[in-house]
Amino acid sequence: MTSTQPRPSGRKREPDRNLAVELVRATEAAAMASGRYLGRGDKNQVDAAAVDAMRPVLGTVAMRGVVVIGEGEKDEAPMLFNGEQVGDGTGPEVDIAVDPVDGTTLVAKALPDGLSVVALAERGKMFDPGPCFYMRKLVVPPAAADAVDPEAPVGEIIAAVGKALGRKTDDLTVAVLDRPRHEGLVASIREVGAMIKFLPDGDVAGAIMAASEDTIDAGVDLLFGIGGTPEGVIAAAALRCLGGAIFGRLHPRNDEERAAAIEQGYDLSRILTTNELCGGEDIFFAATGVTDGALLKGVRYGSERISTTSLSMRARSGTIRFIQTFHDPERSTLVPTLS
């Protein structure tokens, strides 16, 4: 005879574990819709298709969500904008970070590591970057999380990571967004002999690969550089589930943005840690590959099925799942109807 143990009295109710699956359904829908525009050269078309597919799925999820990291302020475009309420109005109150396609240019040009991404945390626990669109980032694997000084010179940081991992500096690979602004950073990395993996776009995948250590064999050991602040918050949610650490410092693009940030009370000299970017314990992360990459395979459109590969993670349990799904285009509600 099987008995059911009652929930311990006084225990805080946790969000339903099914949230992990529901978030994957949202990223699957966005990936399948945006993947139809692979290599067509129009990144706005890629993004619009992903948003149109993701929004109705998020609307069915049992949560009372507010988009904290989205497409900025609401305008005439049908985007998932900051402050938008999502979910079916039941369940936990949560913050949502969405990037229907992290790497729209990657998909538009059929380049690797385009992802559809959603992250969820307890209400009020996600960092709001305000007017600051860019952030200087450092991502390291779990073994090096407490071993680095994020304000140290690049060479010293790389050496500290190598020591923590028990490896030589010239055996390490550093992920860096391929941008002119990183010319000095690249020179510093090369000076100490480390290898470099240039990312053409979308550094969420790069951050996950850098922090994954033995979980994902991606060949990346740390990430440096200036990239999007929204992507930094999303990466922090992933790292809370996966391990590793991200250190960020807001990086205004111009004097106007700097003045706005200071006026709103942001400390531009402060190093933001993983927990400050995404706090709490009830954190969920989901990503589906749109294009093939070191992290996930892209969408495959077969004669009878569409296949997707996704990553699902939960901070409280530390569970990491890779999910391959085969969708019937005639019966699945996640597969968009082509116009």
Side-chain angles (χ1 to χ4, degrees), residues 20-334:
V21 177
E22 294 301 316
L23 294 182
V24 169
R25 293 180 72 250
T27 58
E28 286 175 343
M32 287 188 287
S34 60
R36 290 290 188 185
Y37 300 99
L38 181 72
R40 297 191 185 185
D42 188 342
K43 68 176 186 177
N44 292 329
Q45 192 177 44
V46 168
D47 199 33
V51 172
D52 288 345
M54 179 179 281
R55 175 181 272 117
V57 180
L58 289 177
T60 67
V61 179
M63 63 181 178
R64 290 171 286 170
V66 174
V67 176
V68 175
I69 301 295
E71 303 286 346
E73 298 301 323
K74 184 178 181 181
D75 54 23
E76 297 303 318
M79 300 300 179
L80 283 156
F81 58 89
N82 293 352
E84 180 174 353
Q85 296 185 10
V86 295
D88 70 357
T90 68
E93 295 185 345
V94 296
D95 285 346
I96 300 288
V98 296
D99 199 342
V101 178
D102 179 44
T104 53
T105 299
L106 300 178
V107 178
K109 295 184 176 181
L111 296 172
D113 291 318
L115 301 176
S116 175
V117 179
V118 174
L120 177 155
E122 301 163 44
R123 178 67 55 82
K125 296 297 185 179
M126 276 187 178
F127 179 75
D128 182 349
C132 295
F133 187 78
Y134 282 107
M135 171 186 289
R136 187 180 299 274
K137 307 173 195 176
L138 165 65
V139 178
V140 299
D146 297 321
V148 298
D149 175 1
E151 297 191 87
V154 170
E156 291 182 17
I157 293 174
I158 295 174
V161 172
K163 183 178 180 180
L165 296 178
R167 291 159 57 191
K168 297 178 181 179
T169 299
D170 56 7
D171 289 334
L172 300 180
T173 299
V174 183
V176 179
L177 275 173
D178 191 6
R179 300 289 187 273
R181 62 177 176 266
H182 290 149
E183 182 178 344
L185 170 63
V186 168
S188 296
I189 295 169
R190 287 174 173 163
E191 186 176 344
V192 298
M195 296 171 281
I196 301 175
K197 178 181 176 64
F198 286 103
L199 306 174
D201 208 351
D203 61 355
V204 172
I208 294 172
M209 290 188 285
S212 61
E213 213 163 300
D214 296 329
T215 308
I216 303 166
D217 185 15
V220 173
D221 302 295
L222 63 162
L223 176 143
F224 271 115
I226 299 169
T229 307
E231 288 82 1
V233 176
I234 293 172
L239 300 190
R240 289 296 314 282
C241 302
L242 182 65
I246 180 170
F247 303 93
R249 176 183 283 158
L250 297 176
H251 187 83
R253 291 174 290 181
N254 49 48
D255 290 342
E256 182 181 357
E257 194 170 285
R258 178 181 296 275
I262 293 172
E263 183 179 354
Q264 293 180 33
Y266 288 91
D267 182 353
L268 300 180
S269 65
R270 179 181 175 186
I271 298 292
L272 297 162
T273 64
T274 315
N275 282 34
E276 289 171 326
L277 291 170
C278 188
E281 296 299 325
D282 292 319
I283 301 167
F284 296 82
F285 176 90
T288 300
V290 184
T291 61
D292 284 346
L295 183 62
L296 293 169
K297 290 182 179 179
V299 182
R300 297 286 191 275
Y301 300 92
S303 58
E304 296 183 359
R305 301 277 178 175
I306 302 173
S307 67
T308 56
T309 305
S310 303
L311 173 62
S312 173
M313 301 191 289
R314 184 173 182 238
R316 184 174 288 278
S317 64
T319 303
I320 301 168
R321 290 186 173 92
F322 287 91
I323 303 169
Q324 185 172 18
T325 308
F326 296 89
H327 307 263
D328 185 327
E330 299 297 325
R331 292 183 289 176
S332 174
T333 59
L334 301 182

